[in-house]
């Protein structure tokens, strides 16, 4: 999540992640400083390194928790 996201706030995401974690759901949350909503979709100018880091983190999480 982007730290500056006004659509889906980082604090709301943190609360959701904590709730999911408490329920035993595997969840990870990364807050990217100065990023806004949909920063990883190329909608706004985002440093390529931030986009790559986000995509890599998602890929790693899916691979680690995939059941097929």
């Amino acid at each position: 999540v982007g730290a500056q996201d006004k659509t889906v706030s980082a604090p709301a995401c943190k609360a959701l992640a904590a709730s999911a974690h408490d329920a035993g759901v595997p969840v990870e949350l990364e807050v990217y400083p100065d990023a806004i909503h949909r920063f990883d979709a190329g909608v706004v100018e985002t440093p390529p390194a931030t986009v790559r880091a986000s995509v890599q983190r998602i890929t790693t999480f899916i691979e680690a928790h995939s059941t097929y």
Side-chain angles (χ1 to χ4, degrees), residues 23-67:
V25 176
V27 62
E28 295 178 8
L29 178 66
E30 180 74 27
V31 180
Y32 294 94
D34 300 320
I36 61 174
H37 192 67
R38 295 189 65 186
F39 72 92
D40 56 349
V43 175
V44 297
E45 192 64 35
T46 303
T50 301
V51 176
R52 284 192 301 274
S54 174
V55 171
Q56 182 58 48
R57 188 172 179 98
I58 292 165
T59 301
T60 300
F61 182 87
I62 290 171
E63 290 171 350
H65 298 285
S66 179
T67 58

